Amino acid sequence: MASNLETLVTVFGGSGFLGRNVVRALCRRDYRVRVAVRRPELAGYLQPSGRVGQVHTVQANLRYPASVEAAVRDSHVVINLVGILTESGRQTFDAVQAKGAETVAKAAAAAGARLVHVSAIGADAESPSRYAKAKAAGEAAVTAAVPSATIFRPSVVFGPEDQFTNRFGALARMSPVLPLIGGETRMQPVYVGDVATAIADAVDGKAKAGATYELGGPEVLTMREIIEAILEITNRERMLIPLPFGLARLQANFLQFAPGAFKLTPDQVTLLERDNVVSDAAKAAGLTLEGLGISGDSLEAIAPQYLWRFRAAGQFQHNGA
């Protein structure tokens, strides 16, 4: 029986939040992992994810097809995780999530490698959001180049080092008042470890070729309920001030230049106007976490394991303390 060590998996975006979890999941299954990143000298922390020599980092930039082709060479499976939440300079949604996805897909096709592509729930060519449009364009390019590709669309992903729950934890630590944008917008937060497991399952061949999976956690929560849960976990009492989308978009014109947790772009406000949940069609077709046999972990079960650092008294402060 062939060992997974004979299988080379190239992961684009393997140094990011989702990427490092995917690399760990692949290493646990004994795959050889090549991590393609723009700055490999900054990705040394990935080495302990596997045994000596199991993880190898190489330089690649999706805007330069030759570097992508070199990174894919001799690969059996290619995983594209590259995505951005905000644009900066030449790192635009179109360049990274549309044209970049096409570059990876064409390189995988030329190498004869299987392809797993990560998009997002809400990807829609008709969306008013440039992020969502670019995600849809990326999916179309991937399907055109590699019809057998497996596509995953996660809802908002949470876990240690995320830019979602940690952001609200940081804001609650700094401000007695939190703006609530899209308070009734529904989301289905999915644990990063569950998404990584789904991707590793696809590499194992357990996912349907040419299918698009929608990955959501076990609970559908409104934005208000998510923020309230974070406040409870961090033992913070904060006033939530509902902010109409029009006013939020106006403020985002200025906050898009703000640092850290205060940063908010007009496109992010646009995304908050639509629900971000698994569709009924995906459920009916079994193209979900549950369809892969994965029981998702809830925000309530996982978030306290890392959000404790935002409590005033630290890890050992409990609710009611």
Side-chain angles (χ1 to χ4, degrees), residues 224-238:
R224 175 184 287 275
E225 289 171 333
I226 291 170
I227 296 177
E228 287 176 344
I230 293 169
L231 291 175
E232 182 176 357
I233 291 168
T234 58
N235 287 290
R236 302 280 183 179
E237 292 187 7
R238 296 292 183 261

Side-chain angles (χ1 to χ4, degrees), residues 166-222:
N166 283 287
R167 176 179 183 173
F168 288 111
L171 285 172
R173 184 167 59 184
M174 293 183 282
S175 174
V177 176
L178 296 180
L180 180 62
I181 304 169
E184 300 311 309
T185 299
R186 299 183 308 144
M187 297 188 175
Q188 201 166 343
V190 59
Y191 175 47
V192 66
D194 295 328
V195 177
T197 297
I199 293 169
D201 281 353
V203 175
D204 283 348
K206 297 177 183 176
K208 295 179 182 177
T212 298
Y213 287 77
E214 297 186 8
L215 308 181
E219 295 178 312
V220 173
L221 303 169
T222 64

Side-chain angles (χ1 to χ4, degrees), residues 10 12-13 35-40 57-64 66-72 82:
T10 294
F12 287 89
V35 183
V37 292
R38 285 191 299 157
R39 300 285 301 277
T57 56
V58 297
Q59 198 282 331
N61 188 321
L62 300 197
R63 291 187 288 107
Y64 298 96
S67 72
V68 174
E69 292 163 9
V72 167
V82 181

Side-chain angles (χ1 to χ4, degrees), residues 3 5 7 15 37 52 54 70 100 102 105 117 125 191 196 202 210 231 247 261 267 272-275 287:
S3 164
L5 283 172
T7 302
S15 62
V37 292
V52 175
Q54 190 177 2
E102 181 179 30
H117 176 74
Y191 175 47
L231 291 175
L247 181 56
D267 200 72
L272 286 170
E273 294 187 61
R274 293 190 178 186
D275 289 345
L287 300 175

Side-chain angles (χ1 to χ4, degrees), residues 93-103 105 117 119 122-126 129-145 151 153:
F93 292 138
D94 186 58
V96 174
Q97 295 172 175
K99 293 177 182 175
E102 181 179 30
T103 299
H117 176 74
S119 182
D124 181 359
E126 303 301 320
S129 160
R130 290 183 293 109
Y131 171 91
K133 275 185 177 179
K135 283 290 190 182
E139 289 186 7
V142 163
T143 302
I151 296 174
R153 290 177 167 183

Side-chain angles (χ1 to χ4, degrees), residues 46 60 75 111 183 211 223 276 281 299:
L46 293 171
S75 300
M223 178 61 83
N276 195 278
L299 184 71

